[in-house]
Amino acid sequence: QLSSSLSTSLKPLIDLLNDLHFSARLAVALNIIGTSPARDQIMEALYNYCFEQPSDEEGQQDDVIVVDEDFVWLSVPNHEFATSSAPSNNRDPSDTNALLPRALNGNRYHIFSILPPLLRVVSPSCGVDLGERYLQSASTRFQSQMVTSLLHLKGFDNDQVIDTYIHSAANSVTCKKILEICMTLEFRQPVLEALIDRGSIEFAPLYGWYCSTPYVAAQLRAMGEKLTDKISNLRNWRIHGTLFLDFLFRKRLEEHQHDLLLCGQVWTELCVLVVPSDLQTEHVLELMHMLDKYRPCQLDPSVRHFNVKEHLRKLSTAGTDVMRFEHVQCITIDPAFLAALPRKQRQTMCLEAIADNHFTLYQQLSGVISVERILPLKETFGNATLKQLWGLLLKGSTSDPFLDYCCSTGMPRVLEGHSLANSIRALNAWTRWHFSSTPTATTSGTMPLAELWKLWIESFMHRFDHCKGVCARLKVAIDQDRPLEHSQITLYARYAHELVNIYAPGIELAAQSNKVTSDGIIKCYSLVLEELYGQVSVPNSPQVLTNLVKAMDDVVELKLLPLISFKFDPTEQHTYVSKAKLGTFERWMERFVASTNPSIQKKCMAVLDQVISEASCDDRHLDLPNYERHFAEVTEDSGKISFVFFSSSLHRDAIQVCVILLKVLMENCKAIQTEAWHIVKKHGFDESADIEEYIRFCCLVLTPELRLAEETEIISQAEKHLERVKQHDLYMESCLPTSRHLLSAGLFERVEPLQSSWILEKHGDFCVQRVRDLVKLKTSGRDGNERANGHLMWLRRAANTMSPDVISSALEFSCDKLKNEAGYYRGMVFQALSGELLSRFVECTLINGSLTAATSIAQSLSTLLHNDLDHRDSVAQRYFMHTPDLVMEAVLTFSPEKPLSDVRSAWISFAVNMSWKLAKASGGDESLLLYSLPIPAGLILPSSHWIEAKTFDLLFPHRECPQELTFLREKFDIKKNVKDIDDLSSVFGPCQLVEMIEKALATVWDTRLPCQSLRMSSGQFPLENNDKAADGLLSRLESLYKVCGVVWEESPVLTEVFDTVFGPSLQQAPTHHYHYACNLLDTIIGVNTSGSPHSSSYFFKVDRLAAACAAVF
């Protein structure tokens, strides 16, 4: 159709192109023009159209012809002929094209911009003709684009290309494009050659290598021996590789093949010119073949004496094989060249080098491949001999370069790699090699056996240094657990377990030799245990993690616990206690006593008992009179007896450390308390200083059976302690901790010094009637401040009991007493009651699930408010203004997994009732139109972010989408919000909350108000003359949508309101309803898009919101 209409008009095509941007314009032109049989005619017509003079609509200036942005002609005589597209002497009068102006129409640049790329889709003759005509015109705006397209057309002669380059400005875009494209097209090589011959461009360092091979060969011959001085690189090996190898490398090496040092010099000079990235596989193999054939050499840089260098050069010139000399090195292939080889070929060559014992080549190849996939450490260490092992231990070298490389470089690279399986195989091979021979009296020679064992264990453990990194990654995975990181936990826990199993037998061998100190053995065990023991137990942990913990427990119980203990025999100095040994003992035992393994706990108990017994043997832990020192007799080899002096302070320090550890152990393990208590009681409490600690420990730690046996002693010690501190100025503060401990154990009333009224009043059990009577007296009296402070003490003591019945009765008493107090004194009580006390009251009823107490407390508070509002000096509005919000926050955030529907409903009704009364008292009935719900700003139900663990695992399988999880962790607290709950509908959520609030509003709502509390029976917001009522309804709805969060659709009430507002009736609704609906929609969209990565469009994924947006639009 376009072709048939071409002769009449281009207007449809022009209009289409005018409406598109460049990318779309070019794509449309390629599809329409490029596939049309009449594409040559269409291109010709478009070309002519772009060279037409501006129309009236486009505008034309008088006396000025704007050729294009680069040229402006002013007052040119006969310009209508001067601007024609062909010379005047050759113009054919019948040729209409010859009458077209040579300048592009500036208003049609956007149309002409698509023509240069289209030159390649039309016929070659048409493309060349249009391109040449444009180059002959006065326009240069699209010259570089035209030249780029013409260069790809073989019909555009090379001479024309050269002429274009010569007549273009130096370093112009056109010149750069010509050179750039000629380097990539083989049929444009003559252009580069001609330009080099003319001197327009230089042969080196770039353009000459993209000429034809014969031309390059001729240029290299012309350079002669000074070639390396004239060029800086050899490029385009794909085309000229054979020439470079034959003419430069092979020819020059053959000329000097008898002079190995000169061969090496030539090789080095030529390799400097090679660009490794240009090499092909066959070139690298040929270079390696040349190295083997010609054996180029170089002098060791360590040779500094000039006469030695000259001597070696003369010998090489004479044809002597200088490789026999120590200071001459054979040149090897540059590792950068090897990178051109395919990966599989490099690996094959690497294995061949290992088989041929060609260690140098192996080193070069392993530097450019992943060594952990190719290095056969298992076979290498498996074939190593005992002589090589002892060479490594004694001399640091096995005399085998490949084995030395594996020990020093290969093993670390494998262990630092990403394959833990390869690391395990390498460590197994390493340990088997060491197990093949252990130090004995026959292998020690002149070296002491203990020193030899030290070397053996150091070498054995040297390759386990990476354990700390593995342990750190395991702990990070455990910290991020739930349940995405189970793959990481499984991976590193299994690896750590393997490490324990691998190195434990080697350490046991060293320990059995009795030649390695216990400190050295402990240090070896600590590689994994110190990082992980006691820190990797998690609930519902994978089996591999349980296995790791069990393996560590076995090592601790069977190996480590016997090692960390020490002796108290001063005649055996190597096992005698020291500060360092005691510090190590304490550091390890702190972890062991915290274990939950019963066998570990019993073993710890036995070790601590043994240390205490030995430290206190013969009263060596007690100081001697007159500052004398303890001593022991030692029989020397000569038979004489000498004396060894020692300090009792170390013995006391050891006993003190063990007693502290025993106390911790008793707190963690009730089963050993009976056995451990007599030790702790004997050594753990000093009568003068530790009585208070004794009372605390007996009251808070001991089991009821042991405490019952110690009751008499506890009471006796408490009375002594209270009698002693009675003289202190701060007696009350001094007896406070003791009274609390006794109170928790139920012994408070049996200690006589604590039975005085003023102590009972301060510290007695408030649940005891006598104590309550004493505190109640404080609420009576003539001084108003004392009465107010008495009520505060009364209510705070009641709150401390966390007993719902005690709190409700105490509050009922204060409510009755405060109704006749002055406003100032009521305010003192209200200030505390509206804050900390009320939060504790709500928490207490929720913890105990006591509906009776919640109803009673709420009724007392309502009565308190009602009584205050009846007074002229009412202060409730000042102090209770934010109390409903406080109550609502406590109710909504308390343990959503516990429904507690009745208790929550009672407190929500109280909060709504109180806020309603306060609103009415402050503004009258008119203010009730604007009544808003007592929900704190920014509060969101915690359960609105929750998701079941099984659902989460289906949505985010940890192996398939790690990147999504990385982003998710930034926006979502996985550990806090992924719950192991089968059905989230059973938790306290939006459905229950909205129902409770609607029920609470129904009890206070005045039916005379011109709107409903939440719903809209009429389907619309209140009428225009009731803006306050509409604002109030909008405020209440917005509060509910915000507090429910993104799961607001779980509430039937909110869903019904949403469907009512944005249903079909929206199209006929009044304007004021439309505005309120838009405001509500903005709020809901904000709720659904908070924290979304694409908040501007995310709400369209929610069906209801998308439908509401469509209705509003």
Side-chain angles (χ1 to χ4, degrees):
Q1 292 176 352
L2 184 62
S3 300
S4 62
S5 63
L6 182 63
S7 58
T8 57
S9 175
L10 283 175
K11 191 173 186 308
L13 177 61
I14 300 299
D15 293 341
L16 176 63
L17 296 177
N18 285 333
D19 292 339
L20 301 174
H21 58 79
F22 175 76
S23 299
R25 195 182 303 130
L26 181 60
V28 168
L30 285 171
N31 279 279
I32 294 178
I33 301 175
T35 58
S36 173
R39 52 182 174 273
D40 289 358
Q41 292 84 350
I42 298 174
M43 282 285 291
E44 179 77 20
L46 286 176
Y47 182 88
N48 295 336
Y49 170 78
C50 293
F51 274 88
E52 289 179 357
Q53 293 187 4
S55 61
D56 295 337
E57 291 81 3
E58 294 172 327
Q60 184 172 359
Q61 300 175 354
D62 296 334
D63 300 328
V64 178
I65 300 176
V66 180
V67 179
D68 64 6
E69 293 181 356
D70 301 313
F71 298 94
V72 178
W73 294 356
L74 302 175
S75 303
V76 179
N78 299 322
H79 63 269
E80 67 275 8
F81 299 104
T83 60
S84 62
S85 62
S88 57
N89 54 354
N90 295 327
R91 188 187 310 125
D92 184 359
S94 63
D95 186 4
T96 57
N97 293 334
L99 300 177
L100 292 174
R102 296 180 61 229
L104 270 176
N105 185 340
N107 295 309
R108 299 173 184 176
Y109 280 171
H110 62 286
I111 300 296
F112 193 84
S113 64
I114 67 172
L115 298 186
L118 293 175
L119 292 183
R120 301 190 213 178
V121 302
V122 299
S123 64
S125 58
C126 177
V128 172
D129 178 61
L130 293 178
E132 289 178 346
R133 283 165 56 188
Y134 177 79
L135 294 179
Q136 293 172 5
S137 70
S139 176
T140 60
R141 181 181 182 90
F142 299 98
Q143 182 174 349
S144 61
Q145 293 93 317
M146 276 293 185
V147 170
T148 300
S149 296
L150 285 172
L151 286 172
H152 289 84
L153 302 177
K154 293 186 177 180
F156 191 58
D157 190 68
N158 286 335
D159 293 336
Q160 292 176 284
V161 177
I162 297 170
D163 185 64
T164 303
Y165 182 90
I166 294 172
H167 289 89
S168 298
N171 295 322
S172 64
V173 175
T174 301
C175 291
K176 292 179 180 178
K177 284 289 183 182
I178 290 174
L179 295 176
E180 181 182 335
I181 296 173
C182 288
M183 289 166 58
T184 62
L185 300 176
E186 187 175 353
F187 66 89
R188 296 298 182 193
Q189 289 178 348
V191 175
L192 295 176
E193 296 170 3
L195 293 176
I196 292 173
D197 292 339
R198 289 177 55 89
S200 300
I201 59 176
E202 295 182 357
F203 177 84
L206 181 62
Y207 301 115
W209 307 122
Y210 295 91
C211 300
S212 62
T213 300
Y215 183 83
V216 173
Q219 290 289 332
L220 294 179
R221 289 192 195 94
M223 295 179 188
E225 294 293 331
K226 300 297 183 181
L227 179 143
T228 55
D229 297 335
K230 297 180 180 180
I231 61 176
S232 60
N233 55 40
L234 299 173
R235 303 296 298 268
N236 204 5
W237 280 73
R238 184 178 59 84
I239 303 298
H240 309 306
T242 304
L243 172 66
F244 294 154
L245 291 173
D246 293 341
F247 181 74
L248 295 180
F249 282 85
R250 185 175 288 106
K251 179 181 178 182
R252 298 190 64 181
L253 290 174
E254 284 180 354
E255 292 175 357
H256 308 292
Q257 60 181 332
H258 299 295
D259 189 346
L260 298 183
L261 287 179
L262 188 55
C263 262
Q265 183 179 346
V266 171
W267 177 272
T268 304
E269 291 176 354
L270 293 176
C271 284
V272 171
L273 304 178
V274 177
V275 180
S277 59
D278 281 356
L279 291 176
Q280 306 295 312
T281 301
E282 59 272 16
H283 302 148
V284 178
L285 296 176
E286 184 63 26
L287 289 172
M288 294 176 68
H289 175 70
M290 289 183 187
L291 278 176
D292 291 338
K293 180 179 179 181
Y294 298 109
R295 299 189 305 152
C297 303
Q298 63 184 1
L299 292 176
D300 193 328
S302 62
V303 181
R304 298 184 180 180
H305 298 288
F306 179 76
N307 55 345
V308 175
K309 294 180 180 179
E310 284 298 312
H311 175 67
L312 291 173
R313 289 194 184 98
K314 288 179 181 179
L315 291 176
S316 179
T317 304
T320 306
D321 186 4
V322 292
M323 284 295 295
R324 297 179 292 114
F325 290 89
E326 181 182 1
H327 300 294
V328 179
Q329 299 175 343
C330 184
I331 295 178
T332 58
I333 191 74
D334 190 337
F337 295 176
L338 296 174
L341 296 174
R343 181 183 185 84
K344 290 186 178 179
Q345 187 169 359
R346 277 181 276 155
Q347 292 183 352
T348 303
M349 294 174 64
C350 195
L351 290 173
E352 292 174 353
I354 294 172
D356 298 339
N357 202 21
H358 198 332
F359 175 65
T360 305
L361 178 59
Y362 168 79
Q363 274 189 306
Q364 295 169 339
L365 289 167
S366 65
V368 291
I369 63 175
S370 179
V371 69
E372 62 268 18
R373 295 189 178 184
I374 198 63
L375 185 62
L377 289 176
K378 181 179 178 181
E379 292 77 7
T380 302
F381 292 130
N383 298 328
T385 63
L386 302 182
K387 182 179 179 181
Q388 290 170 333
L389 173 62
W390 290 108
L392 176 67
L393 296 179
L394 298 175
K395 301 177 183 178
S397 173
T398 63
S399 301
D400 182 346
F402 183 68
L403 187 57
D404 285 341
Y405 175 80
C406 290
C407 294
S408 62
T409 305
M411 274 288 288
R413 290 178 65 179
V414 171
L415 297 178
E416 292 169 5
H418 299 291
S419 175
L420 297 183
N422 284 338
S423 299
I424 291 295
R425 285 194 288 268
L427 289 172
N428 277 320
W430 177 263
T431 55
R432 280 195 295 270
W433 186 35
H434 279 70
F435 290 166
S436 64
S437 179
T438 54
T440 61
T442 57
T443 58
S444 62
T446 58
M447 182 176 290
L449 194 57
E451 188 68 23
L452 206 58
W453 267 108
K454 181 180 179 182
L455 292 174
W456 188 91
I457 192 65
E458 286 179 354
S459 175
F460 174 78
M461 295 300 299
H462 182 58
R463 294 307 169 204
F464 293 91
D465 290 343
H466 70 296
C467 292
K468 292 187 177 180
V470 174
C471 297
R473 290 193 287 272
L474 175 58
K475 289 195 288 188
V476 170
I478 290 173
D479 291 340
Q480 297 177 348
D481 173 58
R482 189 37 280 147
L484 345 154
E485 296 296 337
H486 276 184
S487 62
Q488 294 290 315
I489 294 174
T490 302
L491 180 67
Y492 290 118
R494 184 177 290 117
Y495 186 61
H497 189 187
E498 289 289 340
L499 290 177
V500 174
N501 292 338
I502 290 172
Y503 76 48
I507 302 173
E508 182 64 17
L509 279 176
Q512 291 174 358
S513 69
N514 295 323
K515 299 298 181 181
V516 182
T517 63
S518 59
D519 291 341
I521 300 297
I522 292 171
K523 185 177 180 181
C524 294
Y525 277 123
S526 67
L527 277 177
V528 170
L529 296 179
E530 190 168 10
E531 295 291 330
L532 295 182
Y533 192 77
Q535 302 182 45
V536 294
S537 296
V538 294
N540 303 320
S541 59
Q543 184 61 38
V544 289
L545 194 58
T546 305
N547 295 339
L548 171 62
V549 173
K550 184 179 183 302
M552 291 192 295
D553 282 343
D554 293 342
V555 171
V556 169
E557 182 180 359
L558 303 176
K559 307 291 194 310
L560 201 52
L561 272 173
L563 284 173
I564 63 174
S565 58
F566 35 78
K567 303 297 181 182
F568 290 88
D569 185 357
T571 61
E572 299 290 339
Q573 289 297 320
H574 65 283
T575 60
Y576 184 64
V577 64
S578 65
K579 288 186 177 180
K581 291 179 180 178
L582 185 59
T584 303
F585 176 83
E586 182 178 10
R587 187 178 73 253
W588 280 103
M589 289 300 294
E590 283 177 351
R591 292 195 175 188
F592 299 158
V593 297
S595 173
T596 57
N597 189 327
S599 59
I600 297 291
Q601 292 172 340
K602 292 180 180 179
K603 192 73 174 180
C604 289
M605 171 67 198
V607 170
L608 294 172
D609 187 15
Q610 179 186 357
V611 171
I612 293 175
S613 300
E614 293 183 2
S616 59
C617 180
D618 298 332
D619 292 334
R620 290 179 176 179
H621 64 296
L622 302 177
D623 289 331
L624 295 176
N626 301 324
Y627 302 101
E628 293 180 357
R629 299 179 65 190
H630 290 276
F631 66 88
E633 296 180 356
V634 179
T635 303
E636 299 180 355
D637 295 338
S638 60
K640 290 188 176 182
I641 299 176
S642 61
F643 299 101
V644 176
F645 294 91
F646 61 92
S647 174
S648 59
S649 60
L650 275 176
H651 292 241
R652 285 198 302 273
D653 291 344
I655 293 173
Q656 184 180 0
V657 167
C658 291
V659 167
I660 293 173
L661 293 170
L662 271 176
K663 290 179 181 178
V664 176
L665 190 60
M666 290 177 67
E667 293 184 18
N668 296 333
C669 179
K670 304 297 183 183
I672 65 166
Q673 281 199 1
T674 304
E675 185 180 355
W677 173 238
H678 74 278
I679 305 174
V680 174
K681 185 178 179 181
K682 179 179 179 181
H683 298 282
F685 304 107
D686 186 282
E687 289 190 3
S688 59
D690 294 340
I691 293 180
E692 191 171 346
E693 170 62 17
Y694 168 78
I695 296 171
R696 183 201 71 80
F697 195 81
C698 291
C699 294
L700 302 183
V701 178
L702 291 186
T703 59
E705 294 79 9
L706 286 176
R707 189 187 307 124
L708 182 62
E710 294 289 330
E711 275 188 4
T712 305
E713 183 66 20
I714 295 172
I715 295 170
S716 174
Q717 294 293 342
E719 290 177 347
K720 289 181 182 179
H721 174 66
L722 294 172
E723 189 66 29
R724 186 168 60 252
V725 301
K726 191 174 183 180
Q727 308 302 324
H728 293 180
D729 294 336
L730 300 175
Y731 175 53
M732 291 297 298
E733 288 76 3
S734 300
C735 68
L736 179 60
T738 302
S739 61
R740 286 178 177 171
H741 301 329
L742 294 170
L743 189 62
S744 64
L747 300 175
F748 184 89
E749 296 180 354
R750 298 178 58 182
V751 179
E752 186 61 31
L754 295 177
Q755 302 311 304
S756 59
S757 299
W758 57 280
I759 292 182
L760 288 175
E761 179 187 310
K762 294 287 185 183
H763 310 302
D765 185 358
F766 194 76
C767 295
V768 178
Q769 185 62 42
R770 183 186 172 192
V771 177
R772 288 206 300 272
D773 292 340
L774 290 172
V775 178
K776 190 181 294 186
L777 291 174
K778 289 288 186 180
T779 62
S780 302
R782 304 185 62 180
D783 191 292
N785 284 316
E786 290 184 1
R787 292 196 304 273
N789 290 327
H791 281 288
L792 292 176
M793 179 187 293
W794 170 260
L795 294 174
R796 283 175 178 148
R797 294 288 296 277
N800 290 337
T801 64
M802 292 301 286
S803 169
D805 297 333
V806 173
I807 292 174
S808 60
S809 61
L811 185 60
E812 186 177 352
F813 169 78
S814 291
C815 176
D816 183 62
K817 295 279 287 184
L818 287 171
K819 65 181 180 181
N820 295 322
E821 288 286 356
Y824 174 77
Y825 303 120
R826 290 198 308 274
M828 293 174 62
V829 180
F830 288 177
Q831 186 174 7
L833 192 59
S834 62
E836 51 165 334
L837 290 177
L838 188 55
S839 298
R840 296 176 70 181
F841 294 167
V842 176
E843 182 184 4
C844 175
T845 58
L846 290 171
I847 290 175
N848 294 279
S850 177
L851 174 62
T852 304
T855 306
S856 175
I857 295 172
Q859 182 60 40
S860 297
L861 291 171
S862 299
T863 304
L864 200 64
L865 175 64
H866 178 76
N867 292 338
D868 181 87
L869 293 177
D870 285 344
H871 287 75
R872 292 184 177 181
D873 57 349
S874 174
V875 294
Q877 295 182 50
R878 181 195 307 175
Y879 294 108
F880 288 144
M881 181 183 301
H882 301 293
T883 298
D885 292 19
L886 186 67
V887 172
M888 191 71 78
E889 182 176 6
V891 172
L892 300 188
T893 57
F894 178 82
S895 299
E897 63 273 9
K898 301 177 182 179
L900 300 171
S901 302
D902 295 337
V903 182
R904 293 183 197 268
S905 180
W907 280 116
I908 289 175
S909 297
F910 164 75
V912 170
N913 187 22
M914 176 176 272
S915 63
W916 180 271
K917 290 181 178 179
L918 291 172
K920 186 174 182 178
S922 61
D925 292 339
E926 187 70 17
S927 66
L928 296 179
L929 294 173
L930 293 171
Y931 173 75
S932 59
L933 294 173
I935 299 176
L939 177 65
I940 301 178
L941 281 174
S943 61
S944 66
H945 299 299
W946 289 3
I947 183 173
E948 298 99 333
K950 58 183 179 182
T951 305
F952 185 82
D953 291 342
L954 292 174
L955 291 173
F956 296 97
H958 54 277
R959 293 183 185 275
E960 298 179 12
C961 47
Q963 294 180 346
E964 289 84 344
L965 289 176
T966 301
F967 175 78
L968 183 65
R969 285 196 189 96
E970 300 175 0
K971 305 290 183 181
F972 185 70
D973 191 336
I974 297 173
K975 215 168 187 178
K976 178 180 178 182
N977 294 316
V978 178
K979 299 294 182 180
D980 290 318
I981 300 176
D982 294 334
D983 186 9
L984 284 180
S985 62
S986 61
V987 305
F988 178 68
C991 181
Q992 296 88 337
L993 170 64
V994 177
E995 287 180 0
M996 293 176 186
I997 288 181
E998 187 177 31
K999 178 181 176 183
L1001 285 172
T1003 61
V1004 298
W1005 196 259
D1006 191 342
T1007 55
R1008 294 173 298 173
L1009 294 175
C1011 68
Q1012 293 177 281
S1013 59
L1014 290 179
R1015 300 175 188 262
M1016 285 176 276
S1017 57
S1018 63
Q1020 297 179 7
F1021 282 91
L1023 300 177
E1024 294 185 21
N1025 57 352
N1026 287 316
D1027 286 343
K1028 287 186 178 181
D1031 290 339
L1033 178 57
L1034 177 63
S1035 172
R1036 291 189 293 277
L1037 290 174
E1038 286 179 336
S1039 298
L1040 288 178
Y1041 281 108
K1042 289 178 180 179
V1043 75
C1044 291
V1046 295
V1047 293
W1048 58 267
E1049 289 182 280
E1050 293 181 4
S1051 169
V1053 176
L1054 296 183
T1055 304
E1056 179 186 340
V1057 170
F1058 186 91
D1059 294 341
T1060 301
V1061 173
F1062 300 104
S1065 62
L1066 183 65
Q1067 304 298 330
Q1068 292 80 30
T1071 303
H1072 84 282
H1073 173 78
Y1074 168 77
H1075 288 307
Y1076 281 104
C1078 287
N1079 291 336
L1080 181 61
L1081 184 60
D1082 285 341
T1083 299
I1084 300 174
I1085 289 177
V1087 169
N1088 277 76
T1089 59
S1090 59
S1092 169
H1094 308 291
S1095 58
S1096 60
S1097 60
Y1098 176 75
F1099 62 89
F1100 282 112
K1101 297 182 179 181
V1102 182
D1103 294 338
R1104 272 196 169 86
L1105 292 182
C1109 290
V1112 168
F1113 294 155

